[in-house]
C-alpha cells in the first residue's frame, strides 16, 4: 500500500512501526457549532483509510480528538476562546456547549456512516498532561515564560531543528506574515506561539498551572494526546490541508522539542471543499451545515440530499484533490449513487447458470490496486460501474453468469461498496439504513398494483405508482415484476 506523505511530498510504501498494529491520529472538530461539509471531508477520508487498513488485517488504534478549549477567535494565540464566547452569548456553561455540539457532531458522523474512533479524547480532559508537556519543552530550553504565559521559541528551535519542513515555510516568511502582530509585547518574536496562556479575569475557562491560572494553547493538545495514546512515535497523523500551517507545523516543533525526535512517520492531508473556488468554512461565512444538506434548508440547495449522497459525493474525488461544491454537482452524485444501488439490488436477484457469458474476472484485483494507490476511491467506483454492465446484461436476460462468478461478484461488491467505501445499501437498492422498514408495505402496494394491472384496472395501478412517486419512491417495471428504491 502506498500513501502520499505530506512531509516528503511523495508517495511512500506504508510500513507500520509495529505491525500488525497501526497508530492513527486525526484532528477532530472544535465543538462550538454545527458540523459542515468541510468537517465531513476529513471524517470520511480517514474513515476510508481506517476501513481499508482494517481490511488489510491491521489492528488500528484510531484516535480523533475533540477541541474544547484553547481555540481562540482571531488567531492561534489572541482573542476570546470560541467555546467560551458561545457559552457567554448563550448564558451556558462552556461544557454544556461542548456536550451539545459534540452530540450533534457524532450524530452527523453516524448518519454519514463514519465509524467511531477507538478513542475520542477531549482537550479539557488532559490539562494535567498538557502542563507536563509544556514543562518538558521548557526544560529542553525551547520555550520561555512571559507574564504568566509560556511561548514556544521558534527562532531558537530553528537553530537545532528544521522548522517549516511540513509546510515549506521559513523564518523570514513567518516574520513577514506576522509582523503586524508585534504589539504582543509578551513575545520575543511575533511568530512565537503560545503553549500556555494566562487567563484574563473575564476568561471563564482556566486551570491552575506553575505559571498562572490559564489554559493551554490550541496546538498543544494534539502533541500531548497523540503521544499519550499512541506512543512517542506512531504511524499516521491526518487532517485537513488547512491545518498544515500553523497547527501541524507547531505540533512537529513541540514534539521534537519535548522528546528530541519526530513522532509522526506519515502525514496525510485531505484537500479543501470550495464554493465558487473559495474554501468552505465558518470563518468565510459560506458554509452549509450537514443538517441543512439533509433537510435542504439553505439558499444554495435545490433539494435535500441524503447522508449517503454526501458521502458518495466526497468519495467520487480523490482525497488530495479540491472539490468544488454546487447543488448541481450533488445532484449528479445522487444519480450516480442511484445507478450503483440499483446495480447492487439487481446483483442480489441474479440467478446463476452453468457457465458465464459475461466477464467479471479481475474486479477484486483492480479495486485492491486502486485502494493501494493512495486510497484512489474514484477509480474503485469506476471499476464498480464497469462491472455493472455485466450485472445488467445478465439481469436483462442477455447473458449468463456461473455460480462461482456470481458469488465472487457479490463478495467484491459487498466488500468495496459496503465495507470499504462505507455506503449503506439494502438489497432493495435503498441507501438509508432505515429503508428495510418500508419494504413490506411497499412490496404489498406494488403487488396490489400488479394485480390491478392484471385486471386492467389502470386507475388503481396509476394511483399507487403516482402516490409512491410523490413520497419519493422510484418504481420500475421489470419482466419479473417490479423494482423500487427510495
Amino acid at each position: 500500500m502506498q500513501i502520499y506523505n505530506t512531509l516528503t511530498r511523495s508517495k511512500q510504501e506504508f510500513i507500520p512501526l509495529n505491525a500488525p498494529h497501526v497508530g492513527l491520529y486525526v484532528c477532530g472538530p472544535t465543538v462550538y457549532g454545527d458540523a459542515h461539509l468541510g468537517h465531513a471531508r476529513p471524517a470520511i477520508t480517514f474513515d476510508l483509510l481506517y476501513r481499508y487498513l482494517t481490511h488489510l488485517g491491521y489492528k488500528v488504534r484510531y484516535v480523533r480528538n475533540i477541541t474544547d478549549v484553547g481555540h481562540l477567535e482571531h488567531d492561534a494565540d489572541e482573542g476570546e476562546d470560541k467555546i467560551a464566547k458561545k457559552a457567554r452569548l448563550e448564558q451556558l456553561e462552556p461544557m454544556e456547549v461542548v456536550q451539545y455540539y459534540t452530540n450533534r457532531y457524532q450524530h452527523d458522523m453516524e448518519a454519514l456512516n463514519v465509524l467511531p474512533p477507538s478513542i475520542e479524547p477531549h482537550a479539557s480532559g488532559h490539562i494535567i498532561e498538557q502542563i507536563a508537556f509544556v514543562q518538558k519543552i521548557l526544560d529542553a530550553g525551547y520555550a520561555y515564560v512571559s507574564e504568566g504565559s509560556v511561548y514556544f521559541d521558534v527562532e531558537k528551535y530553528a537553530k537545532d531543528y528544521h522548522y517549516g519542513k511540513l509546510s515549506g515555510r521559513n523564518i523570514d516568511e513567518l516574520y513577514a506574515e506576522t509582523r503586524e502582530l508585534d504589539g504582543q509585547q509578551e513575545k520575543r518574536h511575533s511568530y512565537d506561539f503560545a503553549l500556555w496562556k494566562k487567563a484574563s479575569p473575564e476568561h471563564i475557562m482556566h486551570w491552575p498551572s506553575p505559571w498562572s491560572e490559564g489554559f493551554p494553547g490550541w496546538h498543544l493538545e494534539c502533541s500531548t494526546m497523540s503521544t499519550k495514546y499512541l506512543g512517542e512515535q506512531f504511524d499516521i497523523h491526518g487532517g485537513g490541508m488547512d491545518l498544515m500551517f500553523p497547527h501541524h507545523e507547531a505540533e512537529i516543533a513541540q514534539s521534537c522539542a519535548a522528546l528530541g525526535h519526530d513522532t509522526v512517520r506519515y502525514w496525510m492531508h485531505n484537500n479543501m471543499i470550495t464554493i465558487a473556488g473559495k474554501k468552505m468554512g465558518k470563518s468565510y461565512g459560506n458554509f452549509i451545515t450537514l443538517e441543512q444538506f439533509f433537510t435542504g434548508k439553505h439558499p444554495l440547495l435545490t433539494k435535500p440530499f441524503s447522508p449517503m449522497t454526501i458521502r458518495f459525493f466526497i468519495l467520487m474525488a480523490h482525497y488530495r484533490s479540491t472539490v468544488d461544491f454546487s447543488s448541481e454537482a450533488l445532484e449528479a452524485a445522487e444519480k450516480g449513487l442511484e445507478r450503483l444501488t440499483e446495480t447492487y439490488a439487481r446483483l442480489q436477484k441474479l440467478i446463476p447458470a452453468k457457465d458465464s457469458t459475461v466477464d467479471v474476472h479481475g474486479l477484486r484485483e483492480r479495486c485492491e490496486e486502486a485502494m493501494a494507490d493512495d486510497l484512489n476511491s474514484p477509480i474503485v467506483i469506476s471499476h464498480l460501474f464497469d462491472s455493472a454492465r455485466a450485472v445488467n446484461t445478465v439481469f436483462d436476460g442477455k447473458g449468463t453468469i456461473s455460480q462461482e462468478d456470481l458469488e465472487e461478484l457479490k463478495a467484491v461488491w459487498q466488500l468495496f461498496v459496503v465495507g470499504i467505501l462505507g455506503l449503506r445499501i439494502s438489497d432493495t437498492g435503498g441507501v438509508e439504513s432505515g429503508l428495510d422498514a418500508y419494504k413490506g408495505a411497499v412490496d404489498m402496494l406494488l403487488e396490489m398494483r400488479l394485480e390491478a394491472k392484471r385486471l386492467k384496472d389502470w386507475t388503481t395501478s396509476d394511483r399507487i405508482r403516482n402516490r409512491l412517486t410523490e413520497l419519493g419512491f422510484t418504481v420500475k417495471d421489470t419482466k419479473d415484476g417490479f423494482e423500487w428504491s427510495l
Side-chain angles (χ1 to χ4, degrees):
M1 172 188 175
Q2 286 198 323
I3 56 176
Y4 186 88
N5 190 346
T6 310
L7 192 62
T8 62
R9 291 165 177 75
S10 64
K11 289 183 186 178
Q12 290 183 265
E13 194 67 29
F14 176 65
I15 303 173
L17 185 66
N18 295 303
H21 298 274
V22 171
L24 169 63
Y25 187 91
V26 176
C27 289
T30 303
V31 284
Y32 69 99
D34 282 332
H36 55 75
L37 196 60
H39 292 124
R41 191 169 195 193
I44 291 170
T45 293
F46 292 102
D47 183 61
L48 180 68
L49 175 63
Y50 183 27
R51 288 170 179 269
Y52 187 57
L53 288 171
T54 302
H55 159 66
L56 292 177
Y58 294 115
K59 298 178 180 178
V60 185
R61 177 176 287 177
Y62 176 17
V63 182
R64 185 181 66 204
N65 71 300
I66 296 290
T67 299
D68 59 359
V69 65
H71 201 298
L72 305 184
E73 277 289 343
H74 305 305
D75 60 59
D77 297 332
E78 296 300 319
E80 188 173 5
D81 184 286
K82 293 180 179 181
I83 291 168
K85 179 179 180 180
K86 190 87 171 180
R88 176 175 56 78
L89 292 175
E90 298 186 12
Q91 296 184 322
L92 298 170
E93 281 291 328
M95 288 303 113
E96 284 185 90
V97 174
V98 168
Q99 192 64 55
Y100 177 78
Y101 287 109
T102 299
N103 290 346
R104 291 176 69 84
Y105 174 78
Q106 291 171 338
H107 175 75
D108 286 339
M109 293 304 103
E110 183 179 358
L112 292 169
N113 204 24
V114 170
L115 299 174
S118 313
I119 305 172
E120 197 167 43
H122 288 235
S124 63
H126 295 76
I127 300 298
I128 293 173
E129 292 92 336
Q130 291 180 80
I131 289 172
F133 209 93
V134 173
Q135 190 60 57
K136 286 183 179 180
I137 299 172
L138 281 168
D139 293 343
Y142 295 109
Y144 56 92
V145 180
S146 178
E147 299 182 27
S149 294
V150 184
Y151 292 98
F152 190 89
D153 192 332
V154 172
E155 190 168 287
K156 185 172 182 181
Y157 173 85
K159 292 177 181 177
D160 299 327
Y161 296 95
H162 183 184
Y163 186 82
K165 62 183 178 180
L166 184 66
S167 62
R169 303 190 185 206
N170 56 46
I171 292 289
D172 292 337
E173 289 175 316
L174 293 177
Y175 180 71
E177 292 174 3
T178 60
R179 192 179 305 170
E180 67 274 13
L181 300 177
D182 276 349
Q184 302 171 70
Q185 299 301 322
E186 295 179 1
K187 296 184 181 182
R188 291 178 183 171
H189 310 102
S190 58
Y191 41 70
D192 293 346
F193 56 88
L195 299 172
W196 184 267
K197 285 287 289 182
K198 181 180 180 180
S200 58
E202 66 274 10
H203 200 98
I204 57 177
M205 298 177 74
H206 51 83
W207 292 265
S209 80
W211 317 288
S212 66
E213 186 81 12
F215 54 93
W218 169 40
H219 311 307
L220 186 67
E221 62 178 287
C222 289
S223 290
T224 303
M225 293 190 291
S226 63
T227 53
K228 174 180 173 65
Y229 293 110
L230 299 176
E232 288 194 4
Q233 191 174 36
F234 59 94
D235 295 295
I236 302 173
H237 193 315
M241 191 172 288
D242 56 324
L243 296 177
M244 194 183 306
F245 184 88
H247 186 51
H248 290 162
E249 199 73 76
E251 273 192 65
I252 290 174
Q254 290 168 161
S255 298
C256 284
L259 305 172
H261 57 79
D262 285 329
T263 57
V264 180
R265 303 180 71 227
Y266 301 88
W267 285 91
M268 294 182 69
H269 293 89
N270 64 272
N271 214 322
M272 298 181 295
I273 291 181
T274 59
I275 296 181
K278 189 173 184 179
K279 177 192 169 186
M280 178 184 286
K282 286 187 171 70
S283 58
Y284 295 100
N286 66 352
F287 67 97
I288 305 173
T289 68
L290 291 174
E291 182 177 1
Q292 288 171 323
F293 277 106
F294 302 157
T295 61
K297 294 179 180 178
H298 191 280
L300 292 177
L301 299 173
T302 56
K303 55 182 288 189
F305 293 96
S306 74
M308 287 303 99
T309 298
I310 302 299
R311 186 178 180 102
F312 190 65
F313 171 69
I314 290 172
L315 291 171
M316 283 175 62
H318 190 271
Y319 77 91
R320 287 193 288 113
S321 65
T322 303
V323 174
D324 198 51
F325 158 81
S326 68
S327 197
E328 292 75 20
L330 272 178
E331 288 178 24
E334 185 177 57
K335 289 178 181 177
L337 182 59
E338 286 174 359
R339 286 174 53 208
L340 198 73
T341 56
E342 180 183 85
T343 302
Y344 183 88
R346 288 183 168 189
L347 179 59
Q348 313 312 312
K349 298 176 182 178
L350 296 187
I351 298 173
K354 183 178 180 181
D355 299 303
S356 293
T357 60
V358 294
D359 184 10
V360 296
H361 297 121
L363 177 62
R364 181 188 295 269
E365 291 75 17
R366 291 191 295 274
C367 290
E368 289 280 8
E369 183 180 357
M371 281 301 300
D373 183 16
D374 196 28
L375 308 182
N376 206 328
S377 59
I379 298 299
V380 172
I381 292 169
S382 72
H383 290 325
L384 292 168
F385 276 130
D386 286 343
S387 72
R389 288 195 291 268
V391 174
N392 293 328
T393 296
V394 177
F395 187 83
D396 293 337
K398 298 176 182 179
T400 60
I401 188 168
S402 69
Q403 180 75 40
E404 182 181 359
D405 286 349
L406 179 58
E407 289 178 0
E408 170 66 3
L409 193 58
K410 283 183 177 181
V412 173
W413 272 67
Q414 179 71 23
L415 170 63
F416 285 94
V417 175
V418 178
I420 293 176
L421 296 180
L423 297 169
R424 287 193 181 113
I425 300 179
S426 73
D427 289 352
T428 60
V431 296
E432 291 300 315
S433 59
L435 189 63
D436 288 341
Y438 299 111
K439 189 177 187 308
V442 176
D443 285 348
M444 181 180 69
L445 286 170
L446 291 176
E447 285 164 5
M448 291 171 60
R449 179 172 174 270
L450 283 179
E451 179 64 16
K453 289 174 67 178
R454 188 183 68 79
L455 297 173
K456 299 188 181 337
D457 182 359
W458 309 119
T459 300
T460 299
S461 170
D462 291 345
R463 185 166 67 245
I464 292 173
R465 182 188 184 108
N466 292 341
R467 184 60 180 141
L468 285 172
T469 300
E470 290 171 6
L471 293 171
F473 293 90
T474 299
V475 177
K476 292 185 179 181
D477 293 318
T478 69
K479 61 184 179 66
D480 297 320
F482 55 81
E483 290 181 352
W484 63 268
S485 62
L486 180 60

